Amino acid sequence: GFNDTEKVPHHLASWGFRINKVYYNVAPNRGEEGVNEWVEIYNQTNTALDISGWQICDNTSCDTLPTTPLIPALKYAVIVATSTTFTSNTVSSLLPAYWYLPSEVTKINLGQEIGNGLANGGDMLILKRPDGVVVDAMNWQDDTGVWNPGAIDVVEGNVLARVPSGYDTDQASDWKELVPPSVDLIYPDEGGSFQKSIDLKPG
């Protein structure tokens, strides 16, 4: 009989959110591996979106995001394992947080490591809708779950980031290494430099 096989290329379903920055190689003055790693999510649309109930996964396990306020248009959320990684408070009450988080950035506290902890030697991240559809995925260094080779490795304390924010051609080359300057912290602007803020170092 007649047999016709048609290959359908894999593609990601876009629904406004992008994995935008990954902090996986924690510097000693920024906390501990696993506990103080973080992932930034960018809402690249012109409307506020709900990320409650979505999943963030590494190459071994998935975590369901808790109920979270809507993420405003063209704004950010940061997924953390513990609330002490970031603070939005005034200077006098910053410590013991390791990073300053502007008030317009939504903090999503998992209360546990992201996945099985983000491996310095190579890992992947997957962002899934509640219906299981993959919206975004990426990998770095030795992990080959999305690209082979994966995105570049970064030295301890640096951030792996899409530059500019949300830039997505579905290639590992979308990702760049960013160095946190001594006076500014949380997320790089579209020029790749960090927003000026206050350097938080543990006391």
Side-chain angles (χ1 to χ4, degrees):
F2 180 78
N3 184 19
D4 182 19
T5 302
E6 184 175 339
K7 292 184 178 180
V8 179
H10 173 72
H11 67 280
L12 301 178
S14 177
W15 198 27
F17 290 120
R18 284 291 175 270
I19 300 168
N20 202 52
K21 292 170 193 71
V22 185
Y23 186 67
Y24 64 84
N25 197 344
V26 179
N29 67 333
R30 303 283 191 195
E32 302 175 23
E33 295 286 353
V35 175
N36 298 112
E37 296 165 345
W38 51 264
V39 175
E40 182 187 84
I41 304 297
Y42 178 53
N43 177 5
Q44 61 180 354
T45 74
N46 61 359
T47 187
L49 295 176
D50 188 4
I51 202 170
S52 301
W54 288 47
Q55 288 190 315
I56 187 76
C57 311
D58 70 353
N59 61 9
T60 61
S61 61
C62 295
D63 300 300
T64 300
L65 303 184
T67 301
T68 302
L70 294 180
I71 300 173
L74 303 177
K75 295 295 183 183
Y76 305 83
V78 174
I79 301 169
V80 297
T82 175
S83 60
T84 58
T85 300
F86 288 96
T87 184
S88 302
N89 295 334
T90 58
V91 178
S92 61
S93 57
L94 288 178
L95 297 178
Y98 297 101
W99 300 83
Y100 172 74
L101 191 69
S103 58
E104 68 269 18
V105 178
T106 302
K107 182 161 57 177
I108 303 174
N109 180 16
L110 291 178
Q112 60 191 32
E113 291 184 358
I114 300 167
N116 193 37
L118 305 180
N120 294 345
D123 211 333
M124 70 183 298
L125 284 169
I126 303 169
L127 184 65
K128 294 182 182 180
R129 296 188 329 208
D131 60 4
V133 172
V134 173
V135 171
D136 197 15
M138 57 84 66
N139 63 284
W140 62 91
Q141 203 173 350
D142 293 343
D143 189 279
T144 57
V146 181
W147 307 298
N148 187 10
I152 61 169
D153 186 26
V154 300
V155 301
E156 183 180 80
N158 288 356
V159 178
L160 187 59
R162 292 188 191 271
V163 179
S165 288
Y167 183 70
D168 185 10
T169 65
D170 200 22
Q171 299 179 75
S173 58
D174 295 343
W175 294 84
K176 311 296 181 187
E177 180 175 6
L178 296 177
V179 180
S182 60
V183 191
D184 8 355
L185 290 182
I186 175 58
Y187 53 85
D189 61 20
E190 293 193 352
S193 62
F194 276 62
Q195 271 199 337
K196 286 193 174 178
S197 182
I198 301 164
D199 192 3
L200 303 182
K201 295 183 179 178

